[in-house]
Amino acid sequence: MLRATSELEFSNEKNTEEISQLASLVLSGDTSTGEKNSTGLPEKTGYPDSVYIMAANIFQGIRFEKSPEKVLIKYGNEPLRSLPESEDESFQRSSYELAFSALKFQDILEAILIDSCIFPSTTIPDHLSSLIIVMLYDFQDRKFQARFLSDNEEPIAEVQEVENLLNSFKIKLAAALARCRIKHDALSIYHILPETVRNQELRASTLPLYAWINTCKISPEEVYYSLKKRGYNKVKSVLHIDDKVFAVDQHCYDVLIFPSHLKNNLLNIDLFKDYKLIFQDKSRSLAVHSVKALLNMDDDILMVNTGSWYTVAHMSILTNNNTSKIFVCGVKSQAKDPDLKNLFTKMGCKNIEILHEAFLNIESKDHRLQKVKVILLLPRCSGLGVSNPVEFILNEHEDTGLLKDFSQGGTSEDKLHILVQQQYEQLTHAMKFTKAQAVVYCTCSVYPEENEGVVKKALEFQDHGIKVQPYRLSPPVLPLCSLKEIHLSTDKFFRMEPSEITNGCFLSVLTRERDPSEAVSVKDVLARAAAKGLLDGIELGKASKREKKKKKSKIPLSKAHTNDSNDIQRKIAEFLNRESNANANRSETLATKTSLPQKNTTTAGSSSHVRKPNKPTSNPLVPTFMKNTAQPRPYERQTNFVRSRPEDRVMALKPVEIVLPPVMLPFSGSQGIKSQIPTQHFYYRWVGPKTVMPNYFPSPSISRRGEKPRENLPSSLLRHPRPWL
């Protein structure tokens, strides 16, 4: 029992006014027992006895210890007895919130107890000191008003004794609190907290709620319709809206956003009771959606340090249509397996397998993990990007010692170094799994040492000795919805800074470099899909009409072109031989003309090489010597014109100059006619047409002095061996 050395006697009527005046000076800014009270009790009317006991045990484990010369209040090492109902989630949340609030104000609460003469004027067992601290915080937060007691609640003796002690000292406690406020020149003890802590709590009070849709149970359209029936309207943004509204997240199509003040109302509707909508921080949804974007149909997943089981369930829901299996490692106690299986069954998850080994103890060649292609790593971190640390601790099953860092607004250098080393070891171990092709690394930290520092170090010192492709940093696989996100992701990291709409998040995707020797053809992909039954009704053995046409067009053109070219060149050579014999009789006539350089046409004609031009392609059946002729040659004429077919390629012709012999008319015996014939011989040349033919490219005509333009001759005249006769 607690025994006070000095008794305070006063009448209730006399001191009611004094208590009210002193209490009016206490303007508590903490709302942890107000709107966030998840026990369903009226606001600021106190907690059940079991919550105080559990909060005292939590505070005992996370409190700040002082040096022996500065210790004024001693804390025992024995935990208080807790009831079985303390395992309830709502009791746990209330207990953690109360313990965390007491931790933030530990120095102030201890000073109030000493200033009010409770310490050391009373004989208090050391193991009750933690209970006194947490109950004093709640007492001042209620402005020293009486606590509401439920008839169905079983009282706990230790709680009743501490409550009676605080009630007997409530005037002195209120006065000590007022003096503390005046000393720090603060409107309330809330304003005595560091600025970082105050900003964090301000964000936590307005941060929207995020909930993902369990598509195994209900479709998004059905969720929208159900919410609309209950008076919830769909909007683009829920910020600064007090009505019943919701919005769809821009990064994750299956995540809905609600205003923070609607949480109690939402928890009472069937969508949340039946696991059709699940509250969870957005950072975890971003992580699982990043993994989903990297998966094939039959790829397995290894999840490390998953924290909340809802993260595992969300990953399972997203891969429900695949043949993927999800391995979850790090579950230490097998006693939780039945509860986890029951939870997953209620949520409709079927592809989850739990591994009880620690991740660092699992070998990379484990036979169970040979099909694992993506590893999701959610390492323990400082979590200072989170606004509500209690939700983070409970949902992610993190160490309660992180609450001490949250209460100070930062992490000590020694502790941060330990966390970074653990993260580096886990990431490098994940990169040793030879079958894995990608690693997704996600934290809720704002420290670069835990984020890009760990990733860059792991990439720099990765083991290149194993016979696999090394990892490289890949761009985010999530959509970037604003200029700020694009700016923050310029170095291929996805970042979200803590703000009024979301917690902080860091996400990195590491993928193996592509092995050029393992290139997969289209036929291999179709064969694999057909083997899995994904191409039912589609025959892969029969070639399409287009493929048949391609095969016909792929007949060895070189042989065909060579044979055709040989025949043409042989005919050309014969024709030139005949012409050379006929031209020998006219050597005197040709002497009057300027000699022109000639090449060996037989050699040119016998060549079977077909040149591939870089410009518009020509018909391969056209003789080679005709294409390469640059100077006019006597007695040459265009022969064997090949008219191009509509489907053939368009050919550009070059102008060819043909020199004809002098005109010899058979009227030598008539003097009258002779007088009309000039003595000068005329040489006529046929020049390529200036007009553009329908099937040919335009070519520049050759204009020389002394040439007489003529119209195009018919093809029959050109083919005649001696057209002037």
Side-chain angles (χ1 to χ4, degrees):
M1 294 292 294
L2 305 178
R3 294 180 291 106
T5 57
S6 60
E7 297 180 358
L8 299 177
E9 298 179 357
F10 55 90
S11 62
N12 292 334
E13 295 180 358
K14 179 180 179 181
N15 294 317
T16 299
E17 184 178 356
E18 296 181 13
I19 296 173
S20 299
Q21 292 177 354
L22 291 173
S24 63
L25 297 176
V26 181
L27 182 59
S28 176
D30 196 306
T31 59
S32 60
T33 59
E35 295 179 357
K36 295 185 180 181
N37 188 353
S38 58
T39 59
L41 297 175
E43 295 183 1
K44 296 187 178 181
T45 57
Y47 296 100
D49 290 3
S50 58
V51 172
Y52 290 121
I53 295 295
M54 187 175 183
N57 290 333
I58 296 172
F59 177 81
Q60 177 67 24
I62 62 176
R63 63 180 177 83
F64 293 99
E65 297 183 1
K66 299 180 180 180
S67 58
E69 61 274 8
K70 295 182 179 180
V71 171
L72 299 177
I73 299 178
K74 296 182 180 180
Y75 296 89
N77 297 323
E78 300 178 5
L80 299 175
R81 179 179 59 87
S82 59
L83 299 178
E85 60 185 1
S86 62
E87 296 296 328
D88 183 82
E89 182 179 355
S90 61
F91 278 87
Q92 287 185 355
R93 181 171 286 100
S94 299
S95 301
Y96 274 94
E97 289 176 349
L98 181 57
F100 179 58
S101 299
L103 179 65
K104 290 184 293 184
F105 299 100
Q106 178 180 343
D107 292 339
I108 297 175
L109 295 174
E110 289 179 351
I112 291 175
L113 288 174
I114 295 173
D115 190 18
S116 62
C117 299
I118 292 183
F119 283 95
S121 60
T122 57
T123 305
I124 301 176
D126 293 344
H127 69 280
L128 293 181
S129 298
S130 297
L131 182 60
I132 293 176
I133 291 291
V134 296
M135 292 189 68
L136 174 60
Y137 172 80
D138 179 57
F139 195 31
Q140 67 82 31
D141 192 43
R142 290 185 280 117
K143 297 185 175 66
F144 302 101
Q145 300 299 315
R147 179 170 65 107
F148 174 81
L149 298 176
S150 175
D151 297 336
N152 300 327
E153 181 183 356
E154 181 181 355
I156 300 177
E158 291 85 352
V159 175
Q160 299 296 323
E161 292 175 0
V162 172
E163 187 173 24
N164 292 334
L165 175 66
L166 295 177
N167 282 328
S168 63
F169 278 86
K170 60 183 174 181
I171 294 181
K172 288 191 174 184
L173 291 172
L177 179 59
R179 287 191 291 270
C180 180
R181 285 179 41 230
I182 295 172
K183 177 181 178 181
H184 291 87
D185 193 19
L187 295 176
S188 68
I189 61 173
Y190 170 78
H191 293 86
I192 303 176
L193 293 174
E195 183 178 2
T196 55
V197 178
R198 285 187 279 122
N199 293 336
Q200 176 184 310
E201 291 194 354
L202 181 61
R203 288 197 308 268
S205 62
T206 59
L207 190 69
L209 306 172
Y210 291 85
W212 54 270
I213 302 173
N214 186 350
T215 53
C216 284
K217 288 179 168 290
I218 192 172
S219 66
E221 291 74 17
E222 292 174 333
V223 173
Y224 304 157
Y225 178 75
S226 179
L227 290 173
K228 188 175 181 180
K229 287 178 59 178
R230 290 173 170 81
Y232 291 86
N233 297 319
K234 186 178 179 180
V235 296
K236 292 185 177 180
S237 175
V238 300
L239 286 180
H240 313 297
I241 299 180
D242 296 331
D243 297 332
K244 298 172 69 174
V245 296
F246 71 95
V248 180
D249 185 68
Q250 294 180 332
H251 299 96
C252 307
Y253 62 89
D254 62 342
V255 174
L256 302 184
I257 313 173
F258 298 90
S260 58
H261 67 274
L262 297 177
K263 185 171 185 178
N264 291 334
N265 295 333
L266 292 171
L267 289 174
N268 294 325
I269 66 177
D270 296 337
L271 289 175
F272 287 90
K273 291 181 179 179
D274 299 337
Y275 295 102
K276 296 178 180 178
L277 279 176
I278 295 92
F279 282 124
Q280 193 171 22
D281 186 68
K282 180 180 176 178
S283 62
R284 295 318 187 217
S285 297
L286 293 173
V288 297
H289 273 274
S290 297
V291 173
K292 178 64 170 61
L294 300 168
L295 287 177
N296 292 321
M297 290 294 293
D298 58 345
D299 292 345
D300 290 347
I301 308 162
L302 178 61
M303 301 184 68
V304 184
N305 292 344
T306 55
S308 174
W309 300 118
Y310 290 153
T311 306
V312 181
H314 196 182
M315 188 78 262
S316 175
I317 298 301
L318 290 179
T319 58
N320 184 56
N321 296 328
N322 300 9
T323 57
S324 304
K325 183 178 290 186
I326 301 173
F327 294 93
V328 185
C329 64
V331 182
K332 299 179 181 179
S333 176
Q334 297 184 5
K336 295 182 178 180
D337 288 0
D339 296 335
L340 294 178
K341 292 180 179 180
N342 184 34
L343 174 64
F344 294 148
T345 301
K346 290 180 179 179
M347 301 184 71
C349 306
K350 301 178 181 178
N351 56 345
I352 301 174
E353 183 172 338
I354 298 175
L355 307 178
H356 296 283
E357 301 96 324
F359 175 60
L360 295 179
N361 295 333
I362 299 178
E363 296 183 359
S364 59
K365 297 182 180 180
D366 194 307
H367 67 279
R368 298 168 297 180
L369 308 178
Q370 293 306 301
K371 291 181 62 179
V372 170
K373 299 300 181 183
V374 183
I375 301 177
L376 175 57
L377 182 58
L378 303 170
R380 289 186 61 242
C381 62
S382 61
L384 291 182
V386 178
S387 300
N388 192 333
V390 173
E391 294 289 343
F392 179 71
I393 296 294
L394 292 177
N395 294 337
E396 304 304 324
H397 303 282
E398 293 287 350
D399 183 13
T400 56
L402 292 178
L403 290 176
K404 186 182 297 185
D405 300 330
F406 279 103
S407 66
Q408 299 297 309
T411 304
S412 63
E413 292 292 334
D414 294 340
K415 190 170 186 177
L416 183 62
H417 177 73
I418 295 174
L419 290 174
V420 169
Q421 184 62 27
Q422 293 175 353
Q423 295 156 1
Y424 174 75
E425 292 176 357
Q426 290 184 348
L427 182 55
T428 53
H429 186 64
M431 296 168 66
K432 294 178 182 178
F433 285 75
T434 56
K435 298 295 183 179
Q437 298 299 314
V439 177
V440 177
Y441 179 86
C442 182
T443 73
C444 298
S445 175
V446 295
Y447 290 120
E449 296 88 343
E450 296 183 276
N451 299 333
E452 53 265 37
V454 172
V455 175
K456 291 180 179 179
K457 183 180 178 181
L459 289 174
E460 181 180 358
F461 295 100
Q462 61 180 314
D463 186 6
H464 294 277
I466 55 179
K467 297 181 180 180
V468 292
Q469 293 296 106
Y471 276 98
R472 59 182 175 83
L473 190 61
S474 296
V477 294
L478 297 169
L480 303 178
C481 304
S482 65
L483 293 176
K484 185 177 182 180
E485 291 180 4
I486 295 175
H487 175 71
L488 292 175
S489 304
T490 52
D491 52 357
K492 297 184 179 181
F493 296 116
F494 183 87
R495 298 182 182 88
M496 294 185 68
E497 296 180 344
S499 64
E500 60 180 354
I501 60 174
T502 183
N503 288 322
C505 174
F506 172 85
L507 196 144
S508 175
V509 177
L510 306 180
T511 57
R512 290 197 186 276
E513 297 180 0
R514 185 177 297 275
D515 189 355
S517 63
E518 297 181 357
V520 182
S521 64
V522 177
K523 292 183 178 180
D524 294 337
V525 175
L526 293 176
R528 293 180 184 178
K532 296 177 183 179
L534 301 177
L535 300 178
D536 293 340
I538 301 177
E539 297 182 4
L540 299 178
K542 297 183 179 180
S544 62
K545 294 182 179 180
R546 182 178 297 177
E547 291 178 352
K548 291 180 179 178
K549 290 182 179 180
K550 289 183 179 179
K551 289 182 179 179
K552 291 182 180 179
S553 64
K554 289 182 180 179
I555 296 175
L557 295 177
S558 59
K559 294 183 178 179
H561 290 173
T562 303
N563 296 334
D564 294 341
S565 179
N566 289 336
D567 295 339
I568 294 171
Q569 302 299 340
R570 181 175 52 81
K571 294 179 181 179
I572 293 173
E574 294 175 356
F575 171 76
L576 293 176
N577 289 332
R578 292 195 303 267
E579 290 295 321
S580 62
N581 295 332
N583 293 338
N585 300 327
R586 304 183 183 88
S587 57
E588 294 87 358
T589 306
L590 294 176
T592 60
K593 300 295 293 182
T594 305
S595 61
L596 301 175
Q598 297 183 8
K599 294 183 181 179
N600 190 350
T601 57
T602 305
T603 306
S606 62
S607 175
S608 62
H609 174 70
V610 179
R611 186 178 62 171
K612 297 180 180 179
N614 294 329
K615 292 182 180 180
T617 58
S618 61
N619 195 325
L621 300 180
V622 177
T624 306
F625 83 96
M626 294 179 61
K627 299 180 185 178
N628 298 333
T629 302
Q631 300 292 337
R633 301 182 182 181
Y635 299 102
E636 289 185 5
R637 57 178 61 87
Q638 289 183 346
T639 60
N640 296 334
F641 278 91
V642 180
R643 184 170 296 175
S644 61
R645 299 177 182 176
E647 63 271 9
D648 291 340
R649 295 183 178 179
V650 179
M651 178 183 65
L653 292 180
K654 296 182 179 180
V656 178
E657 190 175 60
I658 300 176
V659 179
L660 300 178
V663 178
M664 304 296 291
L665 297 177
F667 304 115
S668 58
S670 176
Q671 297 296 328
I673 299 176
K674 282 184 178 181
S675 61
Q676 298 177 5
I677 299 174
T679 58
Q680 183 181 1
H681 297 288
F682 293 93
Y683 294 87
Y684 293 89
R685 299 175 185 173
W686 182 81
V687 184
K690 296 182 180 180
T691 58
V692 180
M693 300 300 289
N695 294 333
Y696 301 94
F697 286 117
S699 58
S701 62
I702 302 176
S703 177
R704 294 190 179 183
R705 201 171 196 180
E707 290 181 352
K708 184 177 181 179
R710 297 185 60 181
E711 296 179 358
N712 298 339
L713 296 177
S715 60
S716 61
L717 294 178
L718 293 176
R719 293 176 182 173
H720 199 284
R722 295 181 182 180
W724 53 86
L725 296 180

CSV table of all heavy atoms in Angstrom, one decimal, residues 7-16 18-19 167-171:
chain,number,residue,atom,x,y,z
A,7,GLU,N,-1.0,14.5,5.1
A,7,GLU,CA,-2.3,14.4,4.6
A,7,GLU,C,-2.8,15.8,4.3
A,7,GLU,O,-2.5,16.7,4.9
A,7,GLU,CB,-3.2,13.8,5.7
A,7,GLU,CG,-2.9,12.3,6.1
A,7,GLU,CD,-3.8,11.8,7.1
A,7,GLU,OE1,-4.7,12.5,7.5
A,7,GLU,OE2,-3.6,10.6,7.5
A,8,LEU,N,-3.5,15.8,3.1
A,8,LEU,CA,-4.1,17.0,2.7
A,8,LEU,C,-5.6,16.9,2.8
A,8,LEU,O,-6.3,16.1,2.3
A,8,LEU,CB,-3.8,17.3,1.2
A,8,LEU,CG,-2.3,17.4,0.9
A,8,LEU,CD1,-2.1,17.5,-0.6
A,8,LEU,CD2,-1.7,18.6,1.6
A,9,GLU,N,-6.2,17.8,3.7
A,9,GLU,CA,-7.6,17.8,4.0
A,9,GLU,C,-8.2,19.1,3.4
A,9,GLU,O,-7.8,20.2,3.7
A,9,GLU,CB,-7.8,17.7,5.5
A,9,GLU,CG,-7.3,16.5,6.1
A,9,GLU,CD,-7.6,16.5,7.6
A,9,GLU,OE1,-8.1,17.5,8.1
A,9,GLU,OE2,-7.2,15.5,8.3
A,10,PHE,N,-9.1,18.9,2.6
A,10,PHE,CA,-9.8,20.1,2.0
A,10,PHE,C,-11.2,19.6,1.6
A,10,PHE,O,-11.4,18.4,1.3
A,10,PHE,CB,-9.1,20.7,0.9
A,10,PHE,CG,-8.8,19.7,-0.2
A,10,PHE,CD1,-9.6,19.4,-1.2
A,10,PHE,CD2,-7.6,18.9,-0.1
A,10,PHE,CE1,-9.4,18.5,-2.2
A,10,PHE,CE2,-7.3,18.0,-1.1
A,10,PHE,CZ,-8.2,17.8,-2.1
A,11,SER,N,-12.1,20.5,1.6
A,11,SER,CA,-13.5,20.2,1.2
A,11,SER,C,-13.6,20.3,-0.4
A,11,SER,O,-12.9,21.1,-1.0
A,11,SER,CB,-14.5,21.1,1.8
A,11,SER,OG,-14.2,22.5,1.4
A,12,ASN,N,-14.4,19.5,-1.0
A,12,ASN,CA,-14.6,19.5,-2.4
A,12,ASN,C,-15.1,20.8,-2.9
A,12,ASN,O,-14.7,21.3,-3.9
A,12,ASN,CB,-15.5,18.3,-2.8
A,12,ASN,CG,-14.8,17.0,-2.6
A,12,ASN,OD1,-13.6,16.9,-2.6
A,12,ASN,ND2,-15.6,16.0,-2.4
A,13,GLU,N,-16.1,21.4,-2.1
A,13,GLU,CA,-16.7,22.7,-2.6
A,13,GLU,C,-15.7,23.8,-2.6
A,13,GLU,O,-15.7,24.6,-3.5
A,13,GLU,CB,-17.8,23.0,-1.7
A,13,GLU,CG,-19.0,22.0,-1.7
A,13,GLU,CD,-20.1,22.4,-0.8
A,13,GLU,OE1,-19.9,23.5,-0.1
A,13,GLU,OE2,-21.1,21.7,-0.7
A,14,LYS,N,-14.7,23.8,-1.7
A,14,LYS,CA,-13.8,24.9,-1.6
A,14,LYS,C,-12.7,24.8,-2.7
A,14,LYS,O,-12.2,25.8,-3.2
A,14,LYS,CB,-13.1,24.9,-0.2
A,14,LYS,CG,-12.1,26.0,0.0
A,14,LYS,CD,-11.5,25.9,1.4
A,14,LYS,CE,-10.4,27.0,1.6
A,14,LYS,NZ,-9.8,26.9,2.9
A,15,ASN,N,-12.3,23.6,-3.0
A,15,ASN,CA,-11.2,23.4,-3.9
A,15,ASN,C,-11.6,23.2,-5.4
A,15,ASN,O,-10.7,23.2,-6.2
A,15,ASN,CB,-10.3,22.2,-3.5
A,15,ASN,CG,-9.7,22.5,-2.1
A,15,ASN,OD1,-9.2,23.5,-1.9
A,15,ASN,ND2,-9.7,21.5,-1.2
A,16,THR,N,-12.9,23.1,-5.6
A,16,THR,CA,-13.3,22.9,-7.0
A,16,THR,C,-12.9,24.1,-7.9
A,16,THR,O,-12.4,23.9,-9.0
A,16,THR,CB,-14.8,22.6,-7.0
A,16,THR,OG1,-15.1,21.5,-6.3
A,16,THR,CG2,-15.3,22.5,-8.5
A,18,GLU,N,-10.5,26.3,-7.3
A,18,GLU,CA,-9.0,26.3,-7.4
A,18,GLU,C,-8.5,25.4,-8.5
A,18,GLU,O,-7.7,25.7,-9.3
A,18,GLU,CB,-8.4,26.0,-6.1
A,18,GLU,CG,-8.7,27.1,-5.0
A,18,GLU,CD,-8.0,26.7,-3.7
A,18,GLU,OE1,-7.1,25.8,-3.8
A,18,GLU,OE2,-8.3,27.3,-2.7
A,19,ILE,N,-9.1,24.2,-8.4
A,19,ILE,CA,-8.7,23.2,-9.4
A,19,ILE,C,-9.0,23.6,-10.8
A,19,ILE,O,-8.2,23.5,-11.8
A,19,ILE,CB,-9.3,21.8,-9.1
A,19,ILE,CG1,-8.8,21.3,-7.7
A,19,ILE,CG2,-9.1,20.8,-10.2
A,19,ILE,CD1,-9.6,20.0,-7.3
A,167,ASN,N,-5.0,11.6,-7.1
A,167,ASN,CA,-6.1,12.4,-6.8
A,167,ASN,C,-5.9,13.2,-5.5
A,167,ASN,O,-6.3,14.3,-5.4
A,167,ASN,CB,-7.4,11.5,-6.6
A,167,ASN,CG,-7.9,11.1,-8.0
A,167,ASN,OD1,-7.9,11.8,-9.0
A,167,ASN,ND2,-8.5,9.9,-8.0
A,168,SER,N,-5.2,12.6,-4.6
A,168,SER,CA,-4.9,13.3,-3.3
A,168,SER,C,-3.9,14.5,-3.5
A,168,SER,O,-3.9,15.4,-2.7
A,168,SER,CB,-4.4,12.4,-2.3
A,168,SER,OG,-3.2,11.8,-2.7
A,169,PHE,N,-3.1,14.4,-4.6
A,169,PHE,CA,-2.1,15.5,-4.8
A,169,PHE,C,-2.4,16.3,-6.1
A,169,PHE,O,-1.6,17.0,-6.6
A,169,PHE,CB,-0.7,14.8,-5.1
A,169,PHE,CG,0.0,14.5,-3.8
A,169,PHE,CD1,-0.2,13.3,-3.2
A,169,PHE,CD2,0.9,15.4,-3.2
A,169,PHE,CE1,0.5,12.9,-2.0
A,169,PHE,CE2,1.6,15.1,-2.1
A,169,PHE,CZ,1.4,13.8,-1.5
A,170,LYS,N,-3.7,16.3,-6.5
A,170,LYS,CA,-4.0,16.9,-7.8
A,170,LYS,C,-3.8,18.4,-7.7
A,170,LYS,O,-3.4,19.0,-8.8
A,170,LYS,CB,-5.4,16.6,-8.2
A,170,LYS,CG,-6.5,17.0,-7.3
A,170,LYS,CD,-7.8,16.5,-7.9
A,170,LYS,CE,-9.0,16.7,-6.9
A,170,LYS,NZ,-10.3,16.2,-7.5
A,171,ILE,N,-4.0,19.1,-6.6
A,171,ILE,CA,-3.8,20.6,-6.6
A,171,ILE,C,-2.3,20.9,-6.7
A,171,ILE,O,-1.9,21.8,-7.5
A,171,ILE,CB,-4.3,21.2,-5.3
A,171,ILE,CG1,-5.8,21.0,-5.2
A,171,ILE,CG2,-3.9,22.6,-5.1
A,171,ILE,CD1,-6.4,21.6,-3.9
